[in-house]
Amino acid sequence: MKKFLTGIIGVVIGLAFSTSTFVQARPDTPAIPAVPATPAQGKGMTEKKEKAEERTEREREKAEKNAEKENEKAAKRAEKEKEKAERHAKKSAKKHGLDRADEVAGEHGKQGRENAREKQGR
């Protein structure tokens, strides 16, 4: 039993040693030199600047289009809310329940409606 445990411990130590020893090191990334642009590089830089300006212009146009779409959506939402409020106002202007029954039925069933009002506490 001791030989078995000693063997297992030996294998674990051996594996730990082999994996930590033979791990490949990562190559260092070369440092970017801090040298000002030479005249030969200047031509490429102007092209990069132009491309960057074009990209910025396209992004600005996209942002303007998106803002315009959002404004249109907001206007549609406001219009829908206004229509909904108008429909609600029309509903509240109408009479409901016993008041409407008085108006529509007249004298017919007046006694029953009065009893209902007494029970409702109106």
Side-chain angles (χ1 to χ4, degrees):
M1 185 70 172
K2 287 184 182 180
K3 287 184 179 181
F4 179 71
L5 289 175
T6 306
I8 291 177
I9 292 173
V11 169
V12 170
I13 292 173
L15 287 174
F17 177 73
S18 67
T19 57
S20 65
T21 305
F22 299 114
V23 173
Q24 292 182 354
R26 295 182 186 164
D28 291 335
T29 56
I32 299 172
V35 179
T38 59
Q41 293 174 343
K43 184 177 181 182
M45 292 298 225
T46 56
E47 292 175 2
K48 288 182 181 179
K49 286 181 181 178
E50 289 174 1
K51 288 181 180 179
E53 289 173 358
E54 290 174 4
R55 189 178 327 116
T56 304
E57 183 64 28
R58 284 193 306 263
E59 289 174 357
R60 185 179 306 121
E61 289 173 0
K62 274 185 180 179
E64 289 173 359
K65 286 180 183 178
N66 288 339
E68 188 177 316
K69 286 181 183 179
E70 288 297 322
N71 288 340
E72 289 174 5
K73 286 181 182 178
K76 286 181 182 179
R77 271 188 257 127
E79 187 177 327
K80 284 183 181 180
E81 288 294 324
K82 185 178 178 182
E83 290 173 1
K84 187 177 178 181
E86 288 174 359
R87 285 193 308 264
H88 184 70
K90 286 180 183 177
K91 279 185 179 178
S92 63
K94 294 179 182 178
K95 292 185 177 180
H96 298 282
L98 294 172
D99 297 331
R100 183 174 180 278
D102 283 338
E103 189 176 289
V104 175
E107 291 296 318
H108 182 73
K110 186 175 182 179
Q111 183 181 5
R113 290 190 300 275
E114 288 175 0
N115 289 339
R117 277 197 184 86
E118 288 176 16
K119 289 182 180 179
Q120 289 180 0
R122 287 192 191 185

